[in-house]
Amino acid sequence: MIKFEDVQKVYPNGTVALKDINLEIQQGEFVAIIGLSGAGKSTLIRCINRMHDINSGTLLVNDVNVSQLKGKEIREFRKNIGMIFQSFNLVTRSTVLKNVLVSSVPDMPLWRRTLGIFPHEDKIRALEALDNVGILDKAYTRVDQLSGGQQQRVALARTLARKPGIILADEPVASLDPVTAKSVMEDLRRINREMNVSILLNIHHVELALEYCDRVIGIRQGEIVYDGPTDVVDQSILDEIYGKNQPVEA
């Protein structure tokens, strides 16, 4: 479970990104976080894995107080949390398989990291992850020969190879065409349901959020203004999140 209790985040320049956030997310939920650019969506999910530190309040992940973690504790804590980015964050001149195997590097002894020798079980796990997202046939293809959608699947496979309990997705379909975006969202929903992985998705495409996610959290100027099931979201709720007369990206 993820639990925010009166959490605030203020950046060094004085920008208040999160204001008194109170929020609970249960294991296995598929949650979309929506709102205008700069509303605090990315900040919210990046606090969960300590990419950003909070200034006050309490943030618990599976009963662990995230703010109290130090050094090696943070690295151990992050093993259970996968992260997917809009930009994929792949080594494009390397093969798909090697990019997925990167997820094993933190657990490897120095000599293996230095020589790039991965244990057999890590390779099997990486290949299984690629099969799970439908690109096993691309395992030995260079990443720069893949489409954008295929590259995002490589990033997803890299995360799945760690067998996380939580996946944080920061605008994972923003750079994809509509058809490919839907396909990636279908992968995320399937993984959420089949593996009981909690997924928090920061997304601009409201229609995709409403179609694929079970719950929507609407943020405006660092505050939660809506938190509820997707099937009751109507125009009045979107106006509350985005403001009237603001364009809502479909």
Side-chain angles (χ1 to χ4, degrees):
M1 182 180 73
I2 301 169
K3 187 174 184 179
F4 289 76
E5 297 179 336
D6 299 320
V7 168
Q8 294 200 51
K9 169 63 182 177
V10 182
Y11 286 108
N13 65 1
T15 299
V16 179
L18 300 176
K19 304 174 186 176
D20 299 320
I21 298 295
N22 289 281
L23 179 66
E24 288 190 16
I25 296 167
Q26 302 298 326
Q27 186 62 41
E29 287 194 89
F30 191 5
V31 182
I33 304 171
I34 65 174
L36 293 169
S37 297
K41 303 187 302 297
S42 291
T43 300
L44 181 71
I45 66 172
R46 290 172 183 237
C47 287
I48 293 170
N49 64 354
R50 262 298 280 282
M51 288 184 71
H52 293 327
D53 289 320
I54 63 175
N55 294 90
S56 62
T58 304
L59 174 53
L60 302 174
V61 178
N62 296 329
D63 296 322
V64 174
N65 190 323
V66 177
S67 297
Q68 294 180 354
L69 299 174
K70 297 179 181 178
K72 187 177 180 180
E73 294 175 335
I74 297 176
R75 293 192 293 273
E76 287 296 317
F77 166 75
R78 285 175 175 165
K79 289 181 181 180
N80 188 50
I81 303 177
M83 187 84 184
I84 304 171
F85 301 91
Q86 175 182 344
S87 58
F88 315 138
N89 286 7
L90 301 174
V91 181
T92 56
R93 293 188 177 184
S94 190
T95 66
V96 165
L97 179 59
K98 286 184 179 179
N99 270 274
V100 177
L101 284 168
V102 165
S103 66
S104 303
V105 169
D107 297 329
M108 291 168 54
L110 179 60
W111 70 271
R112 281 190 179 276
R113 293 201 300 265
T114 302
L115 297 176
I117 299 175
F118 293 89
H120 178 70
E121 56 268 26
D122 288 356
K123 293 180 180 178
I124 295 298
R125 191 162 56 245
L127 291 170
E128 288 175 346
L130 288 170
D131 190 33
N132 198 340
V133 297
I135 54 170
L136 179 60
D137 60 320
K138 303 294 184 182
Y140 298 99
T141 302
R142 274 181 37 152
V143 168
D144 56 10
Q145 297 176 16
L146 303 181
S147 67
Q150 290 171 330
Q151 290 189 38
Q152 190 58 282
R153 285 191 172 90
V154 176
L156 180 55
R158 180 181 57 195
T159 293
L160 292 178
R162 299 289 296 171
K163 298 189 180 301
I166 299 168
I167 293 178
L168 307 175
D170 195 1
E171 294 291 353
V173 298
S175 60
L176 305 179
D177 65 79
V179 173
T180 305
K182 279 179 169 284
S183 182
V184 170
M185 290 295 292
E186 287 170 0
D187 283 338
L188 289 170
R189 182 169 63 181
R190 175 178 53 81
I191 288 163
N192 163 255
R193 293 178 176 177
E194 292 180 357
M195 303 175 67
N196 196 39
V197 176
S198 302
I199 299 180
L200 280 77
L201 178 77
N202 165 18
I203 186 169
H204 277 298
H205 298 277
V206 174
E207 286 190 0
L208 291 178
L210 299 182
E211 180 177 355
Y212 291 99
C213 300
D214 304 313
R215 175 180 171 190
V216 166
I217 296 170
I219 297 183
R220 187 173 184 184
Q221 297 180 341
E223 297 181 284
I224 294 177
V225 295
Y226 175 77
D227 181 3
T230 56
D231 57 6
V232 300
V233 174
D234 58 17
Q235 189 58 50
S236 65
I237 290 173
L238 294 177
D239 287 344
E240 179 69 16
I241 297 169
Y242 292 93
K244 291 184 178 180
N245 303 318
Q246 285 281 355
V248 177
E249 189 169 353

